[in-house]
Amino acid sequence: EVLLRMHSVGICGSDVHYWQQGRIGDFVVKDPMVLGHEASGTVVKVGSGVTHLKPGDRVAIEPGVPREVDEFCKTGRYNLSPTIFFCATPPDDGNLCRYYKHSANYCYKLPDNVTFEEGALIEPLSVGIHACKRAGVTLGSKVFVSGSGPIGLVNVLVAKMMGAAAVVITDLSASRLQKAKEVGADFTIQVKNETPQEVASKVESLLGCMPEITVECTGVQACIQAGIYATRSGGTLVLVGLGPEMVTVPIVNAAVREVDIRGIFRYCNTWPVAIALLASKRINIKPLVTHRFPLEKALEAFETTRRGEGVKVMLKCDPTDQNP
């Protein structure tokens, strides 16, 4: 293990959800819990067996650490391990604090040209990498991203990086769609009160064809329905956003058109990829951060996220550090 002095911690919608509702699905907050799982910091101390890190190293933290080497770990899909430790998922504490201890194998050294803030953004970026891999985005793909929050935006970034020829994105908010344009979306659709079929046909007319891939980032029933209708026959719909446990969808439409529906759960094996992309400047994730607060103003930061202002709110845990 390593002891870290924390630097930058991003606030996620799930953090806000636990704070407001006290649960997400089967994960219920029963005791006080530290929030935060999008984080970077500096190594202060290393355990006796740690060789790849030393005090002073700047690292990004992968929040999911398997507790045992089970069949999922053996096949490289450790995110599916049922006993996994995960920061800020009850009963496991997160890392929104000054000092934090974590498994050394899940701390990744940041190159000098990757900032702490970028290091913290690797967590949401990882969701995009994992989703686009599961979706099979490749050279020339036409992609429909549903929802323009932070996760929709990282999927736009990664899809373009992986060779997508055109990406169309939907949202209710004009300002969020503007942000999507900034990070590389080719087309935007501001949804008002269209039916799912109408949204699907708008996607098709903007792309000039139905997309082979849809990445659904809202979890909203109508959006999942639109995702099925929009996806080309033989294509893939990846469900990233989580909403109600039971959702009514046109499953027969998907079945007879051979639309593959895939889920994702967090990510695995994404930190080295993300660090390589950031270090080589192949991806610019910096525009995602719109607000910064010191740890003392955490409540204000959480309120800002809850109100849906900006895109990504970042907390600064190290009072000695004056850099943005």
Side-chain angles (χ1 to χ4, degrees), residues 18 24 56 58 65 136 144-145 154 158 185 189 213 217 223 243 315 322:
Y18 281 126
I24 295 178
R58 302 159 60 252
V65 180
F144 165 33
V145 176
V154 293
V158 176
I189 299 171
I213 289 161
C217 302
C223 298
L315 279 155
Q322 297 308 313

Side-chain angles (χ1 to χ4, degrees), residues 55-324:
D57 283 349
R58 302 159 60 252
V59 297
I61 301 165
E62 179 171 0
V65 180
R67 286 188 168 96
E68 56 188 311
V69 181
D70 56 18
E71 58 190 308
F72 298 106
C73 292
K74 287 178 186 173
T75 56
R77 301 181 73 176
Y78 57 86
N79 57 314
L80 302 178
S81 176
T83 58
I84 196 167
F85 166 92
F86 198 89
C87 293
T89 296
D92 303 335
D93 279 329
N95 44 30
L96 184 46
C97 45
R98 300 250 187 249
Y99 289 90
Y100 173 73
K101 184 169 71 72
H102 200 68
S103 164
N105 280 336
Y106 292 81
C107 294
Y108 301 82
K109 195 172 182 325
L110 292 172
D112 293 341
N113 68 340
V114 177
T115 66
F116 280 117
E117 212 158 78
E118 289 175 295
L121 289 167
I122 291 175
E123 196 278 343
L125 180 60
S126 286
V127 179
I129 294 170
H130 192 57
C132 287
K133 276 187 177 172
R134 293 265 297 151
V137 179
T138 186
L139 284 173
S141 296
K142 305 286 204 310
V143 180
F144 165 33
V145 176
S146 169
S148 190
I151 297 301
L153 296 175
V154 293
N155 273 286
V156 171
L157 277 167
V158 176
K160 295 293 283 192
M161 177 67 233
M162 288 172 75
V167 177
V168 59
I169 189 165
T170 53
D171 202 89
L172 300 168
S173 156
S175 62
R176 290 203 156 183
L177 291 173
Q178 182 53 44
K179 193 57 128 173
K181 269 260 197 275
E182 280 172 43
V183 302
D186 299 280
F187 307 102
T188 61
I189 299 171
Q190 188 174 4
V191 178
K192 295 200 163 66
N193 42 16
E194 293 87 345
T195 66
Q197 286 98 328
E198 285 166 347
V199 171
S201 69
K202 280 193 172 185
V203 168
E204 182 179 6
S205 63
L206 278 174
L207 286 174
C209 62
M210 293 171 83
E212 301 100 329
I213 289 161
T214 298
V215 184
E216 207 299 298
C217 302
T218 70
V220 174
Q221 177 170 289
C223 298
I224 299 171
Q225 292 171 352
I228 289 176
Y229 291 130
T231 308
R232 184 183 307 184
S233 297
T236 305
L237 166 65
V238 176
L239 301 176
V240 184
L242 301 176
E245 189 181 354
M246 287 292 175
V247 177
T248 305
V249 293
I251 203 78
V252 175
N253 176 291
V256 298
R257 297 195 302 108
E258 295 193 5
V259 172
D260 292 350
I261 301 175
R262 298 189 144 199
I264 71 156
F265 187 60
R266 299 170 180 158
Y267 32 67
C268 58
N269 306 302
T270 55
W271 259 253
V273 176
I275 289 170
L277 290 171
L278 292 168
S280 61
K281 305 295 178 204
R282 297 304 301 273
I283 271 190
N284 179 16
I285 195 151
K286 290 175 182 168
L288 264 64
V289 181
T290 51
H291 295 71
R292 294 170 181 88
F293 293 91
L295 189 56
E296 296 75 23
K297 294 191 176 167
L299 189 59
E300 206 179 314
F302 270 78
E303 290 286 3
T304 304
T305 309
R306 186 176 61 81
R307 290 193 299 267
E309 291 173 25
V311 181
K312 180 56 70 177
V313 177
M314 197 63 74
L315 279 155
K316 301 294 179 182
C317 301
D318 187 352
T320 61
D321 182 85
Q322 297 308 313
N323 296 328

Side-chain angles (χ1 to χ4, degrees), residues 26-46:
D26 295 336
F27 297 108
V28 183
V29 181
K30 297 192 171 116
D31 298 297
M33 179 180 81
V34 179
L35 292 169
H37 59 267
E38 308 177 358
S40 63
T42 306
V43 175
V44 179
K45 256 186 187 161
V46 300

